[in-house]
Amino acid sequence: MESLLQIIFSGIVTASTVVYALLTWRLVKETKLIREFQIKPDVRIYFERGEANNKLLFVVVENQGFGAALDVNFQVLKNLESYPEEYFNIKDKGVFKHGIVTLYPNQRHRYFILAIEKDNYNKVIEESLIIKTTYHDITNRKFNLTFNIPVKETVGVGLSTPPDNYSGRIPFYLERIDKSLKSLGKSVDELVTLKSDETE
């Protein structure tokens, strides 16, 4: 009976040890994944419409990760053709030409591309920009990403009047006040001129 109890106890201890070892391995693995996530950069390239004027199209490069992206380089595989290359060539714009030594978390670069007007609307929205980017993290792990960015994804971005946020409403109403003051000043000048004509 005593030997049976020893065998059961030994079995429980062995099973506990195995479970503990498995839990420890899992904890170490999760800790490693969390550490990698905390230092991993996530460079994204996307189009953005103008906040004050939605006809304007911008291309944005942003690090949405928690770690710094080092030695960031870009290769334009397919350019937009809406504007002649002599006037517009993304390859000659800032970071696309020179690269980025260090792109910190939440850091972004924004470049004006073109204005979407009635005469070029149908052509522009059918186009897409394809850019390849390479970079590495602080552990020298390399990343290669290719972005196919269609312009049509930005279609439907509208503006409300007045703007729907406070940071947009302040300049909107300041502009209206400025126009009202100018109009009032003009009316006062006309009244003064009229008054002086009457006194003469």
Side-chain angles (χ1 to χ4, degrees):
M1 184 68 178
E2 192 175 315
S3 61
L4 180 62
L5 287 173
Q6 286 180 345
I7 292 170
I8 292 171
F9 180 72
S10 298
I12 291 171
V13 170
T14 304
S16 299
T17 305
V18 170
V19 169
Y20 179 76
L22 286 172
L23 289 174
T24 304
W25 172 78
R26 188 171 179 181
L27 182 64
V28 169
K29 186 179 178 183
E30 286 181 2
T31 304
K32 185 182 177 185
L33 288 173
I34 290 168
R35 176 68 182 146
E36 286 177 359
F37 182 72
Q38 288 175 338
I39 64 168
K40 183 182 177 184
D42 185 17
V43 177
R44 297 284 145 190
I45 305 171
Y46 56 91
F47 284 135
E48 187 174 81
R49 298 292 277 273
E51 186 178 341
N53 182 353
N54 69 344
K55 290 181 180 179
L56 306 181
L57 185 68
F58 297 84
V59 64
V60 180
V61 176
E62 181 178 10
N63 182 2
Q64 297 178 352
F66 290 101
L70 308 175
D71 193 25
V72 187
N73 291 293
F74 304 92
Q75 183 183 358
V76 179
L77 303 178
K78 182 178 178 292
N79 210 338
L80 298 181
E81 298 172 0
S82 300
Y83 281 5
E85 201 164 288
E86 57 192 284
Y87 301 115
F88 165 72
N89 193 345
I90 197 170
K91 295 176 185 177
D92 296 330
K93 289 185 179 282
V95 300
F96 295 104
K97 182 178 183 179
H98 303 290
I100 308 170
V101 176
T102 306
L103 185 62
Y104 296 99
N106 299 318
Q107 186 179 5
R108 69 199 305 255
H109 296 266
R110 186 174 185 248
Y111 297 96
F112 172 68
I113 298 287
L114 51 84
I116 302 175
E117 304 285 355
K118 286 182 180 178
D119 58 339
N120 69 354
Y121 177 84
N122 290 329
K123 184 176 180 182
V124 173
I125 64 164
E126 293 303 321
E127 291 194 278
S128 63
L129 183 65
I130 302 176
I131 299 177
K132 180 182 178 182
T133 181
T134 58
Y135 57 94
H136 60 268
D137 64 10
I138 59 172
T139 65
N140 213 29
R141 186 171 47 160
K142 194 169 183 180
F143 299 86
N144 291 295
L145 296 169
T146 301
F147 296 91
N148 184 351
I149 321 160
V151 178
K152 66 176 72 175
E153 288 182 353
T154 68
V155 172
V157 177
L159 296 175
S160 62
T161 305
D164 61 348
N165 55 36
Y166 289 112
S167 61
R169 286 186 181 203
I170 293 169
F172 174 81
Y173 285 114
L174 283 175
E175 186 179 346
R176 291 185 72 176
I177 291 168
D178 182 54
K179 285 180 182 176
S180 297
L181 288 173
K182 284 179 181 175
S183 177
L184 182 63
K186 188 177 177 183
S187 298
V188 169
D189 288 342
E190 288 174 359
L191 281 173
V192 169
T193 306
L194 186 63
K195 188 87 172 172
S196 64
D197 289 345
E198 286 177 358
T199 52
E200 290 174 0

